[in-house]
Amino acid sequence: MSTRPLLAALVVAVLATPALAVKVSTERFQSAAPFAQGGSLLIDNPIGAVVVTGMQRPGLRWEAIKTVQAIDDRSLHEGRAQTGLAISGNERTRVLRTTIPYPLRNGRWESKVAYRVEIPADANLTIVTVSGELIRVTGFEGGSITIKNVNGRIQLESVVAPVSVETVNGHIEAALPGRPRNDWSLSSVNGTIELRVPRNAAFEWNAETIRGGIHTSLKLAGFFRRNPELRQYWAAVGEGSKVIVRTTSVLGDIYLMGEGTALADAQPIFASENRLAEAAAAPRQPQPLRPDTSAAFRRVANTMLIQAPSSRSFVAQQARIAGDFRIDTPMGSVFVGEIGGDADITTKAGEIVLGRVGGRGDIRSLGGSLHLGEVAGPLRAHTEVGDVFIRSARKGGSAVTEGGTIHVGFTGGATSLRSGGGDVVVHRSGGPLEARTSSGDVWIAVDPGAKTQRIEAITEDGNVILQVPAGFGGEIDAIVLTSSEGAGAIASDLSGLTIVREADGGRTRIRATGKVNGGGDRIVLRASEGTIQIRLTPTLSSR
């Protein structure tokens, strides 16, 4: 594949970001792989741009530019080695992934990857990023498009396929076909949504926001309702269509623009200024970090969290609270360095950042990532949109995200983890564990001292990797459903498994069962269009 101007521009964008220091490395990669029409592709790229074009032919072609910035040559070498690019799967299901260790920025080096990809126009495409300068999808006629993102600009053009976009801080720009055949859903917590339609457009428009404005340059006869927590507007654009286009921004503005009109031509259905005036009078408003909490924030972000948060202003910020802490805020991020007792925290839009909780934690955001250090008591964490990072949940609990990654350093009790679209990673599982994701990998490392442990790991589109210590016993039931006849769908370092292959509705069902190391707790592993790997934990002597 030849180098394209757009990819070169993305490299300029990467290099234009504030550099750590003086050392920069840039590497270019390009490849092709068999890919059937109507197949599925997952692109998992934590930091960097992704541009995908639908083509009228089979096959997958991709090119990438990996950029690493570092403070010295040794850190530059480390960053290059630890930033990997990999493609896996078969012609029906492919995964294109960038692997970067957490935290994504460690103070010594940073890396980003910019991708340009071409696949058939009827493919099913899923893109997952944390910070993508640009996500652009063009030319898709069938299949489906799913995008989950935290920061960045998202563009959709010449897309007829069903679309679902969820972003925390990203801005969405979409050009809708005249008479769409499929429902669309565009959602941002803090960003603006700009939807452009041609003159022959026909669909039903649903716009929702809490604090933002709703604007259009079209003449519409719709209806709306007001309540203290929601502004909602419904309208029929054109005639004869029951396709619904949903646009939701918690804090940002929403624009529906006709062909040939500018944003300045849009008239407000709801004016954001009115609600912003109400917010100005509210008792809690986001404030930059105060001097008395900035040192605690730096300590927590640098030493107690898996990944540093993006927020720098908070509606509530404290270095330490001796007893219990409770807050329920309609807007804004929350930071507390240390809570001596229980934590009961809810925000309808914002990040929650906690260093240490001495009791139980009941943590919820309707739009924002959760960054938790150590939680001594039972934990219940839930976000509608965003990632969940937990360094230590000593008594276990639950963590749920409707769209994002779940990353856990240690869990010491019975734990349930569920992601609506993203990887689930557990570095050290010390108790019964259930981990599920609808799209992504499940990676679990069992505590080195465990002799057996009840585990259930399920992905509907991805791989399962289970890492266990030597001598670990259990009763294993592992199943892979795949469209490929290729071998190697289930691989195990543990002996004693019986593997059976059989047809299952046009796909192949591969099942491995058996007792290993004398048996023990039940271990259920499920993967669709991926692989299952059961590996022994590496020891110093084996490295």
Side-chain angles (χ1 to χ4, degrees):
M1 297 175 63
S2 61
T3 304
R4 289 173 170 78
L6 177 59
L7 192 61
L10 296 178
V11 176
V12 173
V14 168
L15 295 177
T17 56
L20 279 173
V22 295
K23 303 294 182 180
V24 178
S25 168
T26 302
E27 299 174 86
R28 184 185 301 274
F29 305 85
Q30 54 185 5
S31 185
F35 191 82
Q37 291 183 314
S40 298
L41 173 66
L42 166 64
I43 301 176
D44 184 356
N45 186 36
I47 300 183
V50 177
V51 177
V52 185
T53 304
M55 307 295 290
Q56 298 299 322
R57 53 167 171 71
L60 182 154
R61 298 181 183 180
W62 62 276
E63 55 183 327
I65 294 180
K66 179 173 77 175
T67 303
V68 181
Q69 302 177 99
I71 61 175
D72 53 36
D73 288 330
R74 181 177 180 180
S75 299
L76 187 68
H77 177 76
E78 178 184 316
R80 292 177 60 188
Q82 294 194 22
T83 303
L85 284 70
I87 185 169
S88 60
N90 53 59
E91 65 177 8
R92 295 295 306 173
T93 303
R94 294 281 183 189
V95 177
L96 183 58
R97 175 171 282 120
T98 304
T99 57
I100 303 177
Y102 287 95
L104 301 179
R105 293 180 170 84
N106 60 22
R108 293 179 290 106
W109 59 266
E110 296 179 2
S111 64
K112 300 182 180 181
V113 178
Y115 285 97
R116 184 180 181 97
V117 180
E118 295 179 351
I119 57 175
D122 62 351
N124 299 293
L125 174 65
T126 300
I127 300 174
V128 179
T129 70
V130 176
S131 180
E133 290 94 346
L134 172 67
I135 300 174
R136 178 182 292 173
V137 177
T138 60
F140 279 82
E141 301 172 354
S144 62
I145 308 297
T146 302
I147 300 173
K148 298 179 183 297
N149 162 267
V150 177
N151 300 303
R153 184 160 52 105
I154 300 168
Q155 295 180 338
L156 300 168
E157 188 174 330
S158 300
V159 174
V160 180
V163 170
S164 174
V165 177
E166 296 178 1
T167 179
V168 178
N169 300 314
H171 299 281
I172 303 172
E173 302 169 8
L176 193 72
R179 298 186 67 89
R181 300 193 298 266
N182 302 283
D183 292 349
W184 278 30
S185 176
L186 309 176
S187 174
S188 179
V189 177
N190 300 309
T192 297
I193 299 175
E194 182 182 333
L195 182 64
R196 294 192 169 271
V197 299
R199 297 182 185 277
N200 65 338
F203 58 93
E204 293 188 6
W205 180 41
N206 174 211
E208 295 182 358
T209 182
I210 292 178
R211 296 263 171 113
I214 300 175
H215 311 259
T216 184
S217 63
L218 303 177
K219 293 182 178 180
L220 301 177
F223 64 92
F224 56 86
R225 65 186 179 90
R226 305 170 187 258
N227 64 49
E229 295 187 352
L230 180 68
R231 302 162 147 200
Q232 186 179 47
Y233 181 75
W234 281 86
V237 179
E239 297 180 354
S241 177
K242 296 299 182 182
V243 171
I244 298 175
V245 177
R246 293 180 172 86
T247 52
T248 303
S249 183
V250 178
L251 303 179
D253 289 338
I254 300 171
Y255 292 88
L256 176 63
M257 306 301 300
E259 188 176 45
T261 60
L263 293 184
D265 301 324
Q267 298 297 315
I269 297 170
F270 290 105
S272 59
E273 292 78 11
N274 294 338
R275 187 57 65 95
L276 291 175
E278 297 172 14
R284 290 192 178 97
Q285 291 301 303
Q287 299 293 331
L289 284 166
R290 302 188 304 264
D292 60 328
T293 56
S294 60
F297 180 85
R298 288 194 302 271
R299 182 178 68 254
V300 168
N302 293 334
T303 66
M304 301 182 68
L305 302 180
I306 292 177
Q307 179 179 320
S310 60
S311 296
R312 291 298 182 272
S313 58
F314 301 89
V315 295
Q317 51 178 297
Q318 294 288 335
R320 185 178 186 277
I321 294 174
D324 297 341
F325 178 66
R326 184 182 186 281
I327 184 174
D328 186 343
T329 177
M331 171 185 173
S333 299
V334 176
F335 164 69
V336 184
E338 182 176 354
I339 299 172
D342 296 337
D344 188 350
I345 302 172
T346 299
T347 178
K348 292 182 175 62
E351 289 186 312
I352 297 176
V353 183
L354 304 177
R356 181 177 290 109
V357 178
R360 65 168 179 82
D362 194 346
I363 316 299
R364 180 179 176 85
S365 174
L366 299 187
S369 295
L370 308 181
H371 297 265
L372 312 178
E374 294 185 11
V375 181
L379 172 64
R380 184 169 63 177
H382 188 172
T383 179
E384 296 291 329
V385 181
D387 297 326
V388 179
F389 300 98
I390 305 165
R391 191 176 190 93
S392 176
R394 297 201 170 274
K395 292 188 178 180
S398 66
V400 177
T401 173
E402 302 302 330
T405 294
I406 298 177
H407 199 105
V408 180
F410 169 73
T411 175
T415 302
S416 173
L417 308 174
R418 180 173 63 83
S419 171
D423 294 343
V424 178
V425 179
V426 181
H427 281 279
R428 183 181 165 199
S429 173
L433 178 65
E434 176 188 355
R436 294 172 176 259
T437 178
S438 61
S439 176
D441 293 345
V442 178
W443 186 91
I444 299 169
V446 176
D447 187 277
K451 299 302 181 183
T452 188
Q453 190 177 116
R454 180 174 60 82
I455 295 172
E456 184 175 300
I458 298 174
T459 174
E460 297 176 17
D461 186 3
N463 307 297
V464 172
I465 302 97
L466 176 63
Q467 188 172 298
V468 300
F472 182 84
E475 185 174 342
I476 293 177
D477 182 3
I479 297 176
V480 169
L481 279 174
T482 177
S483 302
S484 172
E485 291 288 341
I490 299 179
S492 175
D493 292 340
L494 306 179
S495 59
L497 297 181
T498 300
I499 298 180
V500 177
R501 303 169 66 93
E502 60 185 5
D504 187 341
R507 295 197 292 177
T508 300
R509 186 174 186 264
I510 306 168
R511 185 175 188 180
T513 58
K515 294 182 179 180
V516 297
N517 292 323
D521 289 331
R522 183 170 170 81
I523 299 170
V524 176
L525 310 176
R526 301 287 188 267
S528 180
E529 301 299 348
T531 64
I532 292 176
Q533 301 178 49
I534 305 172
R535 301 300 185 189
L536 287 174
T537 303
T539 61
L540 291 175
S541 60
S542 65
R543 291 177 180 174

